[in-house]
Amino acid sequence: MPGDEQVLAVIPHADLSAGLGAPSRTHTLVFTDQRIIFARFTSGMARRPGPDPQREIIEKYEALSPDDILAEHKSNFAVDRSTLTKVRMKYTGGLGNGAVAEVLTIKTEERTYKLSLSSSKQPRKALSKAGLSQSTS
């Protein structure tokens, strides 16, 4: 990928469904102008101290280059935005304290990714910032 690839938005704590009853894996979604990067969330990240761990995760990935994010964990992967066929956000219920449960579906020419999100309005704002709001519902 060219060196001028820019990180546009970050959604932390997205649970990627593995399907067929397999456990989901937690990722941070990093949206660039060229790709969507699925960065594995590890137990070491969960132990980080701080008043706002979600904000710290967002700031961390906004500061890293896309290639550094991919190299951070062997299970990190990316999907080229040019292969996207549909991005949809579906509200599934309230969790209290203003948080909601939503499912983000990312469809490409070859695969569908379903991610469970539990957050405030941050994921929808991130999709809008990444230029994907027109394809969400």
Side-chain angles (χ1 to χ4, degrees), residues 26 33 49 58 65 72 80 91 94 114 118 125-126 133:
T26 302
D33 53 346
I58 292 170
S65 75
E72 184 179 51
D80 287 332
Y91 173 80
K114 288 193 180 235
S118 57
K125 289 178 183 176
S133 62

Side-chain angles (χ1 to χ4, degrees), residues 10-116:
V10 177
I11 298 176
H13 304 294
D15 292 327
L16 178 61
S17 172
L20 301 174
S24 63
R25 300 276 187 205
T26 302
H27 289 76
T28 296
L29 297 179
V30 181
F31 296 86
T32 76
D33 53 346
Q34 298 172 28
R35 302 181 276 186
I36 301 172
I37 300 170
F38 291 71
R40 278 290 292 277
F41 185 82
T42 64
S43 58
M45 294 175 181
R47 289 188 219 117
R48 291 182 180 199
D52 189 353
Q54 182 170 323
R55 168 64 27 214
E56 290 175 19
I57 291 168
I58 292 170
E59 289 173 356
K60 170 191 171 182
Y61 286 111
E62 286 176 339
L64 289 174
S65 75
D67 289 333
D68 288 342
I69 295 167
L70 282 170
E72 184 179 51
H73 191 281
K74 65 181 179 177
S75 296
N76 290 359
F77 66 96
V79 173
D80 287 332
R81 286 180 62 151
S82 64
T83 67
L84 293 179
T85 59
K86 185 177 188 178
V87 175
R88 181 174 180 220
M89 182 85 81
K90 183 179 179 183
Y91 173 80
T92 59
L95 299 174
N97 293 338
V100 296
E102 296 185 289
V103 173
L104 173 62
T105 303
I106 299 172
K107 288 188 179 184
T108 68
E109 295 166 354
E110 296 187 14
R111 184 162 177 206
T112 298
Y113 303 90
K114 288 193 180 235
L115 300 115
S116 298

Side-chain angles (χ1 to χ4, degrees), residues 11 54 89 102 117 119-128:
I11 298 176
Q54 182 170 323
M89 182 85 81
E102 296 185 289
L117 309 171
S119 181
S120 57
K121 295 182 172 131
Q122 191 274 334
R124 288 185 184 269
K125 289 178 183 176
L127 287 173
S128 179

